[in-house]
């Protein structure tokens, strides 16, 4: 698929068919993630591919409810997580992104006011992955609101790593509608902020 | 350009020609960035397109030196920020990504989801630039407060990253990647 088409037509998908997704396509998605740039090429990302229905169900249980003024509702992506064949969980090694070239084993010395850049570098890889899925006819929806510590336990994520985000991968059972974007003039300025 | 080709062959570019870049092209690249997904569709990203030479060099001067073998050296991208005709500075509105309506963080990542959402947009930007024949290199090691002052940024925003944008003057070298088997696992983290 052509790049600009992929970027513009990718949508968050919240309804999926149960059709299986073969390993080749998943591998192409991960391969795309692997080629993302990263802080000093530190590649802090780690990907866990979950197909096991029992593990998937446990992951669904970690999603946070959304609080409305009068009640709580499930995450809009919760139902999808039970029906998709694959969930990819994105983890990060801590202490390398955003850190200076310290001697190995020493405590990480972060260079900027942002501390550890693991959120940034994993997202570069995630964007490549959601595009690569879409280009192969597969849908995704990035999920951030879940109990990361619990997911870490379910997947035996060792110390020194954090669970960042997860996304289901499957055949879309809906046409995603594009939520409106702000006007370019609201987010892009010339030479100084707000101009 | 085919998307997989763009993803695999994009490289960080650290030498640029001074050839000017059309506003239309910049708009195409920023639109691609803007189509990124974001937490609750909050679109916390803001882009400042800097062409003014004086501002560009003031911003370039905020780059931290890098320590290599106990020696302080220039950031490898420092020169490129002055060579390229355009510098794109990416800022984030804080208190939106990863937060509820009252601005309270809901996950154990605190307010740091702006880093995630900004990077989703930045990756689109890099790919789009590459597809139209332009080079980029993400720069992270600089004094964000100083850049905020130079660019008159309000305090609800933070400067996250920047990249020069220009016609490449040399090809980027491939930085080797870990093998897929080193970064992926099935069912559990092993
Ligand atoms: C968060 C981040 C910060 C970076 N900061 C710098 C930098 O300050 N100077 C620089 O020359 N390159 C910087 N880079 C570029 C990386 O070194 C580069 O992406 C990595 O070595 C992989 O090479 P590639 O982009 O050519 O695939 C940065 C990349 C990222 C993702
Ligand atoms: C960090 C992040 C977290 C998200 N979390 C959720 C989520 O928990 N549930 C959900 O249904 N969508 C979630 N989304 C999807 C966004 O709502 C979606 O990207 C946005 O509305 C724009 O729509 P689009 O992706 O179709 O362009 C998340 C997106 C991002 C980037």
């Amino acid at each position: 698929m052509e790049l600009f088409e992929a970027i513009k037509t990718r949508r968050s998908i919240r309804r999926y068919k149960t059709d299986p997704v073969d390993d080749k396509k998943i591998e192409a998605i991960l391969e795309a993630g692997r080629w993302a740039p990263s802080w000093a090429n530190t590649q802090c990302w780690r990907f866990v591919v979950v197909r096991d229905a029992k593990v998937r169900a446990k992951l669904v249980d970690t999603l946070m409810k959304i609080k409305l003024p009068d009640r709580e509702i499930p995450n809009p992506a919760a139902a999808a997580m039970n029906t998709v064949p694959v969930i990819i969980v994105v983890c990060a090694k801590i202490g390398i992104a955003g850190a200076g070239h310290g001697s190995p084993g020493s405590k990480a010395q972060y260079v900027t006011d942002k501390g550890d850049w693991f959120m940034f570098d994993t997202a570069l890889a995630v964007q490549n992955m959601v595009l690569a899925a879409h280009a192969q006819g597969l849908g995704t929806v990035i999920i951030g609101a879940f109990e990361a510590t619990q997911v870490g336990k379910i997947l035996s994520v060792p110390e020194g790593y954090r669970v960042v985000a997860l996304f289901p991968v499957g055949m879309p059972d809906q046409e995603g509608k594009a939520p409106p974007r702000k006007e370019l003039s609201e987010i892009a300025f010339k030479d100084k902020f707000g101009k | 350009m085919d998307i997989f080709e763009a993803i695999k062959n994009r490289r960080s570019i650290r030498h640029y020609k001074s050839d000017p870049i059309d506003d239309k092209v910049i708009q195409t690249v920023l639109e691609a960035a803007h189509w990124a997904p974001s937490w609750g569709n909050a679109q916390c990203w803001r882009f400042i397109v800097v062409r003014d030479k004086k501002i560009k060099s003031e911003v370039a001067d905020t780059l931290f030196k890098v320590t290599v073998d106990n020696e302080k050296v220039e950031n490898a991208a420092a020169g490129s920020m002055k060579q390229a005709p355009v510098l794109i500075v990416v800022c984030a509105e804080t208190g939106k990504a990863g937060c509820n309506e009252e601005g309270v963080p809901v996950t154990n990542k605190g307010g740091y989801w702006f880093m995630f959402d900004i990077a989703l947009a930045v990756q689109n930007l890099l790919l789009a630039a590459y597809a139209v024949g332009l080079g980029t290199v993400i720069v992270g090691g600089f004094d964000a407060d100083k850049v905020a002052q130079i660019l008159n940024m309000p305090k609800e925003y933070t400067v996250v990253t920047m990249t020069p944008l220009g016609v490449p003057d040399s090809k980027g070298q491939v930085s080797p990647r870990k093998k897929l088997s080193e970064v992926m696992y099935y069912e559990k983290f092993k």
Side-chain angles (χ1 to χ4, degrees):
Chain A
M1 187 183 282
E2 199 275 326
L3 174 76
F4 288 96
E5 186 193 341
I7 285 177
K8 289 190 186 167
T9 60
R10 177 214 53 80
R11 293 275 73 76
S12 291
I13 301 297
R14 298 181 179 88
R15 277 212 315 268
Y16 295 86
K17 297 181 183 152
T18 51
D19 305 35
V21 175
D22 64 61
D23 275 337
K24 277 241 169 63
K25 286 190 173 173
I26 297 295
E27 201 171 297
I29 293 172
L30 301 176
E31 185 66 20
R34 190 170 75 98
W35 280 105
S38 59
W39 181 285
N41 202 29
T42 43
Q43 308 166 59
C44 69
W45 45 70
R46 298 293 182 274
F47 314 120
V48 185
V49 179
V50 178
R51 286 180 179 278
D52 187 312
K54 275 198 217 112
V55 184
R56 277 193 284 120
K58 283 191 202 163
L59 294 180
V60 179
D61 286 341
T62 71
L63 296 193
M64 294 171 183
K65 296 241 179 337
I66 295 176
K67 290 195 181 78
L68 298 180
D70 51 335
R71 68 206 151 96
E72 286 191 339
I73 56 163
N75 188 304
M81 299 249 302
N82 273 318
T83 55
V84 281
V86 178
I87 296 173
I88 296 180
V89 182
V90 181
C91 309
K93 186 172 190 206
I94 297 304
I96 50 178
H101 304 259
S103 50
S106 67
K107 210 169 170 288
Q109 300 256 326
Y110 295 117
V111 174
T112 74
D113 63 343
K114 308 296 185 301
D116 201 305
W117 280 63
F118 73 102
M119 294 291 277
F120 191 90
D121 283 359
T122 52
L124 296 170
V126 167
Q127 185 59 21
N128 275 358
M129 291 194 284
V130 295
L131 291 174
H134 177 55
Q136 301 182 91
L138 297 171
T140 57
V141 54
I142 302 173
I143 300 180
F146 60 89
E147 299 291 348
T149 321
Q150 241 171 287
V151 171
K153 280 188 193 137
I154 295 166
L155 302 179
S156 313
V157 175
E159 237 181 88
Y161 293 83
R162 292 187 75 177
V163 179
V164 179
L166 46 87
F167 59 93
V169 184
M171 289 289 291
D173 196 20
Q174 64 171 155
E175 290 259 328
K177 253 195 26 199
R181 296 302 197 266
K182 294 179 200 286
E183 293 294 327
L184 206 52
S185 58
E186 294 176 67
I187 58 149
F189 311 119
K190 282 188 181 153
D191 286 325
K192 298 235 166 172
F193 193 95
K195 297 275 170 70
Chain B
M1 184 183 287
D2 174 69
I3 176 168
F4 291 100
E5 186 191 337
I7 286 175
K8 289 206 179 148
N9 298 337
R10 174 216 54 82
R11 294 273 74 78
S12 291
I13 300 297
R14 298 184 177 88
H15 299 282
Y16 293 87
K17 298 188 176 146
S18 56
D19 306 27
I21 303 176
D22 229 53
D23 270 338
K24 272 235 178 70
V25 175
I26 295 182
Q27 191 169 330
T28 303
V29 169
L30 293 182
E31 252 163 27
H34 196 24
W35 277 110
S38 59
W39 181 291
N41 200 30
Q43 311 160 58
C44 70
W45 44 72
R46 300 292 182 273
F47 305 96
I48 305 176
V49 179
V50 182
R51 289 177 183 275
D52 184 298
K53 283 213 171 91
K54 186 162 159 277
I55 302 178
K56 227 157 27 97
S57 88
E58 275 175 27
V59 171
D61 287 342
T62 68
L63 291 199
F64 295 138
K65 293 250 183 328
V66 181
T67 310
V68 180
D69 299 330
N70 289 321
E71 236 182 279
K72 293 223 179 246
V73 298
E74 286 275 356
N75 187 309
S80 69
M81 293 178 51
K82 293 179 186 172
Q83 290 169 357
V86 174
L87 177 71
I88 297 184
V89 180
V90 190
C91 317
E93 185 178 11
T94 53
K96 291 279 193 292
C99 302
N100 66 17
E101 305 226 312
E102 284 92 54
V104 179
V106 299
T107 74
N108 70 354
K109 308 301 182 305
Y112 273 95
W113 282 95
F114 70 78
M115 293 290 276
F116 192 91
D117 283 0
I118 292 292
L120 297 171
V122 166
Q123 185 60 20
N124 274 1
L125 188 155
L126 305 185
L127 294 174
Y130 180 67
V132 298
L134 297 177
T136 54
V137 53
I138 304 180
V139 177
F142 57 87
D143 188 329
D145 283 339
K146 271 196 199 146
V147 176
Q149 274 175 20
I150 295 167
L151 301 177
N152 291 345
M153 220 180 45
K155 66 172 186 341
E156 305 78 47
Y157 295 82
T158 181
V159 181
V160 179
T161 185
M162 50 185 146
T163 174
L165 185 68
V167 177
D169 196 21
S170 63
K171 275 179 84 173
Q173 267 201 347
V174 179
S175 303
R177 296 301 201 267
K178 292 181 198 296
K179 288 204 271 310
L180 200 50
S181 58
E182 295 175 75
V183 297
M184 73 163 292
Y185 312 95
Y186 285 108
E187 304 305 337
K188 293 217 166 171
F189 197 113
K190 296 183 272 282

